[in-house]
Amino acid sequence: MPRVEWRVALRALAGFAVGLALWVFLSPQYDRVIAAGAEKVLRAFEDPPVTRLRPAADRFVTVDREDFDPRSKRPAIPVHDLTFNVILLTALFAASKRPFSDRNISGFLLAALLLSVTHVFGMVAEVMSIYVAKLGMWSRVNYGDFSRNFWGVANHFYRLVLMYAIAFMLWWIFRDRGIEAPAPAKKKKKR
Amino acid sequence: MQRNQVLFLVKFFVILLAAYLLIAWNPVNDRVIVPFTEGIARVSGAVLNFIGQDVTVNGTVIASARFGVNINNGCNGVEAMLILLASIVAFPASMKARALGLLLGAIAVQLLNLVRIVSLYLLGAYQPRLFDTFHTAVWQIIIILAAIGFFLIWSARVAPSRVASRA
């Protein structure tokens, strides 16, 4: 049977708790940064640029467009649903045998920075999936089947597995190598 | 980063994307994933009834007079199984080792997922203010961490000299 290294598990648990605390307490500020970044990306590809992402209550961001009917209801996105993979990243780096080594800390910071870039694109995919499919006639008039399929799949893929895979891949790239995997159990010699 | 690690990541991503596209395809979703999720709901419902919760199961919905949950994609453990599948298949190992890893890993993920569903139901019924955080983040990350942890233990066993020291 595989041998579980309990100290690794405990460090991962501690990292999980730290990541959860960061995510819970810093999310309101962090969500604003991500919304601002996603808004810039979306407006860069719009002509004229019309999208506005406004932070709202309960960690939601309201999707607004200057060309929407002012009387129509604005869709809202739960940003925290897109960013909680930071907890996974923190737990994975914390599981290292030397969690506070320079290499592990710098690797974590770099990975976290790149993860935040993916959060911006996660939010872009979320907004686009609303534009292409969830605004009734407006969506049908402005977007074709290809856009609907592309952004629908991109958003669902990100939410279902990609957000975890990104955290795992960033950890795999930037971890302090060769120390996180538990050593295999030694075989007993036959007497 | 060494070439074999880059290769692992590329394979991991390609397999993950292919597996995702397969399960997201409507015929597969309707004929495999939904019945599988209904099976999970039945087992979870049986466990909840065993501990006296008096729930009924209808398709993927577990409900009682107190609370109800609908098990959707993302809550059926399939996402963790995809991560496990992609990492194990991308890793250099024998077919037998991969098959055994996938089987044991899938069982482990689903047992943990059973605990997740039962505990989420109980949280929703008795501590509803905690439900959202546990549903959105806590359990989701625990399940994925378990899948990654299983992969690391498995990979250290099947290729200790190649991976634990170099990868």
Side-chain angles (χ1 to χ4, degrees):
Chain A
M1 284 294 289
R3 190 162 66 93
V4 175
E5 241 186 50
W6 292 107
R7 278 178 298 182
V8 175
L10 281 176
R11 282 194 295 271
L13 188 65
F16 176 90
V18 170
L20 183 64
L22 284 174
W23 178 73
V24 168
F25 293 113
L26 296 183
S27 267
Q29 292 77 27
Y30 183 71
D31 294 353
R32 288 173 186 273
V33 174
I34 297 303
E39 184 183 287
K40 280 202 188 325
V41 173
L42 286 160
R43 288 173 73 91
F45 291 94
E46 288 173 341
D47 187 23
V50 287
T51 294
R52 289 280 178 209
L53 301 178
R54 304 182 196 282
D58 295 331
R59 297 162 69 180
F60 275 72
V61 161
T62 304
V63 181
D64 197 3
R65 284 179 66 103
E66 288 154 17
D67 57 356
F68 276 170
D69 184 335
R71 294 164 299 178
S72 64
K73 202 177 169 189
R74 268 46 178 172
I77 299 170
V79 188
H80 53 282
D81 273 13
L82 308 173
T83 59
F84 66 86
N85 55 356
V86 70
I87 305 170
L88 178 62
L89 189 75
T90 312
L92 288 171
F93 273 97
S96 164
K97 276 191 179 162
R98 295 179 297 167
F100 296 109
S101 71
D102 287 352
R103 186 169 180 163
N104 203 52
I105 295 285
S106 59
F108 170 71
L109 292 175
L110 196 52
L113 182 69
L114 292 172
L115 192 73
S116 66
V117 174
T118 69
H119 289 160
V120 169
F121 287 98
M123 188 175 241
V124 168
E126 183 79 24
V127 173
M128 288 307 299
S129 74
I130 291 173
Y131 283 173
V132 298
K134 295 177 185 166
L135 298 176
M137 183 60 82
W138 187 89
S139 295
R140 285 195 289 279
V141 168
N142 287 285
Y143 295 96
D145 285 342
F146 178 80
S147 296
R148 251 185 292 287
N149 284 319
F150 177 82
W151 289 111
V153 167
N155 185 43
H156 190 240
F157 182 45
Y158 177 80
R159 278 172 163 272
L160 192 70
V161 284
L162 186 59
M163 63 187 295
Y164 313 115
I166 289 170
F168 172 62
M169 290 193 290
L170 286 171
W171 168 75
W172 187 266
I173 294 167
F174 294 111
R175 69 200 156 136
D176 201 351
R177 276 187 194 7
I179 53 175
E180 68 293 322
K186 286 178 183 171
K187 287 182 181 174
K188 287 181 181 174
K189 285 182 182 175
K190 286 181 182 174
R191 290 182 181 175
Chain B
M1 205 164 47
Q2 291 176 354
R3 188 176 167 274
N4 60 346
Q5 292 172 46
V6 177
L7 197 62
F8 168 77
L9 285 180
V10 171
K11 279 185 186 173
F12 170 79
F13 183 77
V14 170
I15 294 163
L16 188 72
L17 180 61
Y20 164 77
L21 289 173
L22 181 68
I23 66 149
W25 190 35
N26 276 342
V28 175
N29 180 66
D30 297 346
R31 287 173 199 160
V32 179
I33 302 299
V34 172
F36 177 71
T37 309
E38 287 173 350
I40 291 171
R42 280 197 294 276
V43 175
S44 305
V47 172
L48 283 164
N49 280 325
F50 181 73
I51 58 174
Q53 290 302 307
D54 195 21
V55 298
T56 54
V57 178
N58 186 8
T60 57
V61 176
I62 303 170
S64 72
R66 195 182 272 269
F67 188 65
V69 286
N70 186 10
I71 304 171
N72 288 317
N73 280 340
C75 299
N76 53 12
V78 169
E79 69 288 356
M81 286 163 67
L82 290 188
I83 298 266
L84 195 67
L85 170 84
S87 53
I88 285 179
V89 175
F91 194 82
S94 69
M95 288 304 286
K96 188 181 166 190
R98 282 177 178 152
L100 191 62
L102 283 173
L103 180 68
L104 292 178
I107 291 170
V109 163
Q110 284 306 324
L111 285 176
L112 193 59
N113 198 50
L114 184 64
V115 178
R116 160 164 73 169
I117 293 166
V118 169
S119 71
L120 282 177
Y121 173 86
L122 294 173
L123 273 178
Y126 299 102
Q127 291 289 334
R129 65 190 176 84
L130 293 177
F131 178 82
D132 269 348
T133 301
F134 274 77
H135 172 245
T136 305
V138 174
W139 264 116
Q140 202 71 357
I141 296 298
I142 289 173
I143 297 274
I144 300 292
L145 261 180
I148 293 172
F150 183 91
F151 162 69
L152 292 175
I153 293 168
W154 171 85
S155 64
R157 268 189 83 83
V158 297
S161 57
R162 268 182 302 181
V163 179
S165 61
R166 276 196 283 150

